[in-house]
Amino acid sequence: MWVTNLVALALLATAASAATSASADKVLSNHATILADNSANLALSLYHSMAKDKNVENILISPVVVASSLGLVALGGKASTASQVKTILKADKVKDEQLHSGLAELLTEVSDPKTRNVTWKISNRLYGPSSVNFVDDFVKSSKKHYNCDHSKINFRDKKSAVKSINEWAAKSTDGKLPEITKDVEKTDGAMIVNAMFFKPHWDEEFHHKMVDNRGFLSSRGYTISVQMMHRTGLYGYYEDTSNNLIVLSMPLAHKKSSVVFIMTYHLEALERLEKMLTKKQLDTWFGKLKDTAVAVSLPKVSMEVSHDLQKHLGELGLTEAVDKTKADLSNISGKKDLYLSNVFHASALEWDTHGNDADTSIFGTDKLKNPKLFYADHPFIFLVKDQKTNSILFIGRMVRPKGDKMRDEL
């Protein structure tokens, strides 16, 4: 009898192991793959639109989360208000239901904390004016596909509305985003808010004691005191000598995704580098990365960035949903009484030393001999690239990290 039970337990263990493996190796559906592939186009288009704004310093956006917000607009919209979303996502041939299920599938895949071993809290909320009545079907579908909550708010009481939105964002991110907006300009529309906290977990940790205070050259006349973390290891590295820049790829835990840094040799405005940012150019750089010994120094800082994407999404082609006279978001409320007045996209990102144990077997060997230097003490562009789905999880730039201005030495 016990032999039978033992065999049964062994079969159950084998089945469980196979199920876990199958889950880990799950292949994305065709429609989710299309949306993942197109996330790079959305990332770059949005980035370029935002970089033109002279008042914006740091940039931090998650294209896959922005795509989900657009999916929410398509879910609530009818006719061309909804079809414009597909055009922006380059998913015109994807059926409506596949659009929503594909976006949900993609975001679930890339934000899974177990397989990715990252901290990524994502909260979404649709705010509507006090007069709106949400349709039950929309509430259920938006929760199912986009994990989106809903709330009525009296936008005319601006002080109270701003306080309520900021308190929700802070609570959703465990206090990492204490304030995402100081004002609500338009008081008669619907508002989508994304609140996120992302903390990369390096495939090989930085030693927590190898951290010291250094200067970050934000501009020629402004140096900021930051903590800098250091380590030497084997990383994807490419030096584009014709364009005077370096590309560095550092894997995150489980090697399912990597942070790619793009930095000019010396301090300069990022405009020249940003003009080079195309899908073709990124693919060229990625294709030339080679495992190289690199001594890396990165700012150990946090970034809290909030963007209102409404104007930028309008530039990308979302013209109807944001136009009070043309928007048809009647799937949300049952009548044409709403338009999209704001899309707040707020993220907190922590650069820290945490990661898996370092591979000490290569220390003191020829593999780390004469390392290249990657010293991130001036503005750079970065992106988090997912290896499995080929999607862009984040894209941004660090121009002015948090810290005190260093005193000019005479």
Side-chain angles (χ1 to χ4, degrees):
M1 182 69 179
W2 66 271
V3 174
T4 304
N5 289 340
L6 192 62
V7 171
L9 286 170
L11 288 172
L12 282 171
T14 302
S17 176
T20 301
S21 176
S23 175
D25 297 332
K26 184 182 176 184
V27 178
L28 284 182
S29 63
N30 287 338
H31 40 282
T33 300
I34 290 171
L35 294 163
D37 289 343
N38 291 340
S39 68
N41 295 313
L42 178 62
L44 294 171
S45 297
L46 255 183
Y47 183 95
H48 284 302
S49 176
M50 297 169 75
K52 289 187 296 185
D53 190 337
K54 300 300 182 185
N55 295 319
V56 172
E57 292 183 322
N58 297 335
I59 292 176
L60 182 59
I61 48 175
S62 171
V64 291
V65 174
V66 174
S68 294
S69 293
L70 287 168
L72 191 65
V73 174
L75 187 67
K78 288 184 178 179
S80 51
T81 299
S83 63
Q84 281 187 344
V85 169
K86 286 187 177 181
T87 302
I88 295 169
L89 295 176
K90 300 190 185 305
D92 292 294
K93 296 181 180 179
V94 177
K95 295 179 181 178
D96 289 351
E97 182 56 34
Q98 290 179 334
L99 175 73
H100 305 306
S101 63
L103 287 169
E105 181 185 350
L106 174 61
L107 196 54
T108 299
E109 167 65 38
V110 298
S111 62
D112 184 347
K114 291 183 179 178
T115 58
R116 304 287 158 157
N117 199 12
V118 297
T119 299
W120 194 4
K121 294 176 182 279
I122 306 170
S123 298
N124 303 303
R125 178 167 280 196
L126 176 70
Y127 286 97
S130 304
S131 58
V132 74
N133 288 311
F134 295 114
V135 174
D136 285 345
D137 282 349
F138 173 80
V139 170
K140 290 175 183 175
S141 295
S142 57
K143 184 71 176 176
K144 173 186 173 183
H145 294 302
Y146 303 112
N147 196 27
C148 182
D149 293 325
H150 308 79
S151 178
K152 295 183 184 183
I153 195 167
N154 180 11
F155 287 123
R156 297 187 186 281
D157 184 352
K158 287 190 177 185
K159 187 176 180 180
S160 177
V162 168
K163 181 181 178 184
S164 178
I165 293 165
N166 286 334
E167 285 179 349
W168 170 81
K171 185 177 179 181
S172 300
T173 57
D174 297 330
K176 301 294 183 180
L177 282 172
E179 182 180 87
I180 63 172
T181 182
K182 294 181 183 296
D183 190 20
V184 177
E185 291 184 6
K186 297 171 183 174
T187 60
D188 56 351
M191 175 192 297
I192 296 174
V193 184
N194 312 130
M196 291 170 283
F197 171 56
F198 185 79
K199 185 174 183 177
H201 190 87
W202 304 108
D203 187 57
E204 291 192 23
E205 65 184 356
F206 287 75
H207 197 288
H208 67 279
K209 289 186 178 180
M210 293 183 65
V211 177
D212 55 13
N213 291 319
R214 301 286 179 99
F216 186 96
L217 309 170
S218 184
S219 64
R220 296 204 180 279
Y222 203 94
T223 302
I224 299 168
S225 176
V226 299
Q227 284 194 312
M228 198 77 82
M229 52 190 185
H230 316 274
R231 84 174 312 275
T232 300
L234 290 174
Y235 299 113
Y237 179 90
Y238 173 63
E239 193 168 341
D240 187 340
T241 54
S242 61
N243 287 308
N244 297 328
L245 61 89
I246 301 169
V247 183
L248 175 73
S249 177
M250 298 182 65
L252 299 182
H254 298 350
K255 297 186 177 179
K256 294 286 183 72
S257 55
S258 299
V259 183
V260 179
F261 299 92
I262 309 168
M263 186 177 71
T264 54
Y265 284 172
H266 307 292
L267 172 64
E268 63 173 277
L270 286 176
E271 187 176 2
R272 179 181 70 86
L273 177 53
E274 288 169 337
K275 286 180 179 178
M276 285 186 266
L277 279 185
T278 63
K279 178 75 163 55
K280 183 179 180 181
Q281 182 61 72
L282 284 177
D283 288 341
T284 298
W285 284 333
F286 295 158
K288 292 185 177 182
L289 291 169
K290 290 185 179 179
D291 281 347
T292 306
V294 188
V296 180
S297 295
L298 294 176
K300 180 181 180 290
V301 294
S302 61
M303 291 175 68
E304 293 88 35
V305 185
S306 180
H307 303 289
D308 186 354
L309 300 182
Q310 192 227 34
K311 178 182 73 172
H312 305 294
L313 291 174
E315 289 183 5
L316 266 58
L318 193 74
T319 57
E320 288 207 4
V322 300
D323 188 326
K324 191 175 181 179
T325 63
K326 296 180 181 178
D328 185 350
L329 296 173
S330 52
N331 281 340
I332 296 178
S333 62
K335 50 187 177 180
K336 292 175 67 174
D337 58 347
L338 283 178
Y339 75 107
L340 191 63
S341 58
N342 300 93
V343 182
F344 284 114
H345 186 79
S347 308
L349 170 64
E350 275 189 12
W351 302 104
D352 208 339
T353 58
H354 297 148
N356 295 338
D357 291 340
D359 178 9
T360 57
S361 66
I362 62 172
F363 291 171
T365 68
D366 286 346
K367 288 184 177 180
L368 296 184
K369 194 175 182 181
N370 300 322
K372 300 287 188 180
L373 298 180
F374 187 87
Y375 191 71
D377 70 339
H378 56 280
F380 56 84
I381 293 170
F382 63 91
L383 51 94
V384 181
K385 184 177 184 294
D386 189 62
Q387 308 298 359
K388 179 178 177 180
T389 65
N390 207 34
S391 54
I392 304 294
L393 308 187
F394 278 93
I395 186 170
R397 68 184 184 193
M398 183 178 286
V399 172
R400 188 188 290 258
K402 287 197 299 186
D404 296 327
K405 180 180 180 182
M406 295 183 73
R407 189 176 57 192
D408 294 330
E409 299 292 342
L410 296 178

